[in-house]
């Protein structure tokens, strides 16, 4: 149970870091594409 909680927490933190890195990029098609890929991955 504790192991699962830690895995979920780590996954959430990593997801926040990923989105922060994407949003830090300048507005561009690449940024939009990375955002779409990340969102598709989260939906799975």
């Amino acid at each position: 149970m504790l192991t699962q909680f830690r895995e979920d927490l780590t996954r959430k933190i990593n997801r926040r870091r990923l989105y922060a890195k994407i949003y830090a990029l300048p507005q561009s098609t690449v940024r939009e594409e990375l955002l779409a890929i990340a969102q598709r991955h989260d939906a799975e």
Side-chain angles (χ1 to χ4, degrees):
M1 185 167 164
L2 182 59
T3 304
Q4 185 64 42
F5 174 76
R6 290 182 67 183
E7 287 175 6
D8 290 343
L9 184 61
T10 301
R11 195 173 302 115
K12 288 177 186 178
I13 291 169
N14 288 339
R15 185 179 305 134
R16 283 191 206 119
R17 285 182 183 154
L18 174 65
Y19 278 100
K21 287 178 184 178
I22 291 172
Y23 281 118
L25 295 171
Q27 277 291 102
S28 69
T29 306
V30 174
R31 176 184 168 187
E32 297 303 317
E33 189 63 30
L34 288 172
L35 194 54
I37 292 168
Q39 289 170 342
R40 267 185 266 145
H41 185 270
D42 283 347
E44 293 176 355

